[in-house]
Amino acid sequence: MTRSIKTKLETIDKDHFSLLVDIGKIAKEENLKAYLVGGMVRDLLLGFNNLDIDIVIESNAHKLANALVSRFSNCELSAKHDRFHTAKIIFTIDGKKISIDLASTREETYEHPAALPTVNVSDLQKDLYRRDFTINALAVSLLPDDFGKIVDLFSGLNDLENKKIKILHDLSFIDDPTRIIRAVRFAVKLGFEIEEHTKKLLFEAINSEQFDNLIEKIRGDRVKIEIRYLLNLPSIQEAIKEFYNSGIHRMVSTSLRSNDKLLNLKLDKKHKSENSWLLYLGIILKDLNNTDQEQIMKNLQMTNDEIKIITNGLKAYKILEISENTNSITLFKTLKELSSESILITKLLFSTNNKILALIDEYIEKTSKIKLEITGQDLILMGLTEGRKLGETLNLILEMKIKNPNMKKEDEIAQAKILLMNH
Ligand code: CTP
C-alpha cells in the first residue's frame, strides 16, 4: 500500500486541503511537527470521504493554535484544555466554518481499569501507541518537506489491506472498555475481521465480568456515544447480532437477553432517521421492566427527549398488543401525541403483524394528517362553553372525519349540531 497520501489529500475539498497545507507551513515556522491522525487518515486510505480533521502536534498544540490565531484573521480559538493538552480552532472561509482539533502528542496512563486516563505530553510514537487499533494509529505528516507522507509504526497499512481490526497492546480493552464496542463497530461497518489475538482479549475482557453493567460504574455517555454509532450503522441486523454475540449487551445490562426476533426487524428506507439508534435501543430494552429500562437510560446519560421517545414508543406497543379490536380510531387515539420516532418503534415491533402494520402505515401516511376545519370558536358560537365537553365534541367529529376523510367544513358543522342536540 502507498506510503504517501499526498495525491489523495489533493482530491478533498479545496478549503480543507489548503488549511492542511497552511497548518503544516506554520508548524514548520514554529519548529513544531504536525500530523493528521485518526479516522480521516483511515477513511482516506479506504476511499471514503471524511473531513473530520484531527491533528497532533509534536509537541505543543497550544503554541501552534496561538500562532494560527495570530497569523490568520479568519481563525479563532474556540476551546483550550490545559489538562488534556488540546485546542479547537475554527476557520471561517466564505461564511463556512471549518473546525479543527489540535492535540499535543501525548501518552495516557490508566490508574485503574476504565478510569479516565492521566495525560502527559510525549512523542509521536507514544501518541500513536496509546490509540485503539492499528488502522487508527496511522499519522500523515503535514510539514512542507514531506507533506502527505504516512508514518506507519504499527503495521496499520498492512492491517488496512488485510481488513483486520487489531489492538496495539494487550491491556487496550482493559484500559478503555469502550474500545470493545468500537472494535465491533469498525468490523461491521468496514466488513473487517477482528484479528485472532485481539478477539481472544476482547472475549477475555467481556467474560472477566469486570465490565458487567459498566454504565453503572463509568461515565455512561462514553458508552452511549459508541452504542449510538453501532446502532446507527446501515447494516443494522449485523450490528445487533454482534451486539449480543460479542457480549457488549452485558456492558449495558446483564439482564438483557438476545432475541432472534430482533434480528429480523428493519426500518423501511423511507423512514431512515438520524435517530435510528434510539429505535433499536428501545427494542433491545423492550423486555425489561419499566424501572430497569429507565435506570439504564439514565445511566447512559440519555436526554429526557431521547428517553421519552423510547418509553412512549414501548408504551404504545404494549397498549396495542393487548387491545382486542384495533382499528383506525383506537390506533389514532394511541398514537396521536407521539413523536414520529416513537411511532416507528411501535411499527418495528409489529413487523410481523400485517393488520396492525397496515393501520400504522395508514396512520403515518393519511390519518395523522387529517385536520378539522371546524374550530373551538365555531362550537362556542353554536352555544357550547369552553371546557371538557368542547374538547370531547371536537374529538368525536375528528373520529368521524377519520372514517370519512371527505367531510367538508359544512359536514363537520352539521355533525356538531347533531351531537349538541343529543346532549
Ligand atoms: N481513539 C482511541 N480510543 C478510543 C476512541 C478514540 O484510541 N476509545 C483514537 C483513535 O485513534 C481514533 C481517534 O482517537 O481514530 C479519533 O476518535 P473518534 O473521532 O472517536 O473516531 P474515528 O476513528 O475518527 O472514527 P469515526 O469518525 O468513524 O468515529
Side-chain angles (χ1 to χ4, degrees), residues 19-170:
L19 286 182
L20 293 179
V21 172
D22 286 342
I23 289 171
K25 277 188 200 148
I26 304 296
K28 183 174 180 188
E29 284 172 27
E30 298 289 322
N31 271 327
L32 299 164
K33 289 184 177 159
Y35 301 90
L36 186 63
V37 287
M40 184 168 167
V41 175
R42 177 198 67 226
D43 287 346
L44 267 179
L45 283 160
L46 290 170
F48 301 135
N49 200 15
N50 181 343
L51 291 174
D52 225 345
I53 302 183
D54 261 325
I55 293 177
V56 293
I57 313 298
E58 200 172 47
S59 54
N60 192 335
H62 291 166
K63 188 173 168 202
L64 184 70
N66 292 337
L68 288 165
V69 171
S70 61
R71 284 290 291 276
F72 296 98
S73 59
N74 64 341
C75 175
E76 58 181 311
L77 186 68
S78 91
K80 182 167 167 273
H81 294 289
D82 290 334
R83 192 176 146 218
F84 296 111
H85 307 279
T86 57
K88 192 190 259 307
I89 50 172
I90 296 181
F91 282 89
T92 308
I93 303 176
D94 297 333
K96 185 173 76 181
K97 303 231 177 256
I98 300 181
S99 135
I100 295 180
D101 285 319
L102 301 175
S104 307
T105 43
R106 59 228 162 105
E107 65 183 326
E108 290 173 348
T109 42
Y110 294 81
E111 266 169 41
H112 55 83
L116 279 180
T118 311
V119 178
N120 286 310
V121 173
S122 69
D123 57 17
L124 180 68
Q125 196 214 1
K126 290 202 176 101
D127 185 279
L128 296 178
Y129 186 64
R130 76 177 166 87
R131 289 170 187 269
D132 51 2
F133 310 116
T134 57
I135 60 166
N136 289 338
L138 293 159
V140 168
S141 173
L142 297 178
L143 294 196
D145 309 335
D146 57 1
F147 185 85
K149 183 174 163 230
I150 300 173
V151 182
D152 177 16
L153 303 177
F154 306 102
S155 299
L157 284 174
N158 214 16
D159 291 331
L160 263 186
E161 205 151 27
N162 295 320
K163 301 183 173 230
K164 296 280 183 210
I165 308 293
K166 186 174 170 191
I167 43 173
L168 289 130
H169 59 86
D170 283 5

Side-chain angles (χ1 to χ4, degrees), residues 38-39 42 54 131-132 136 176 178-179 182 185-186 229:
R42 177 198 67 226
D54 261 325
R131 289 170 187 269
D132 51 2
N136 289 338
D176 180 355
T178 65
R179 288 177 176 167
R182 290 174 65 86
R185 167 172 46 118
F186 287 120
Y229 277 129

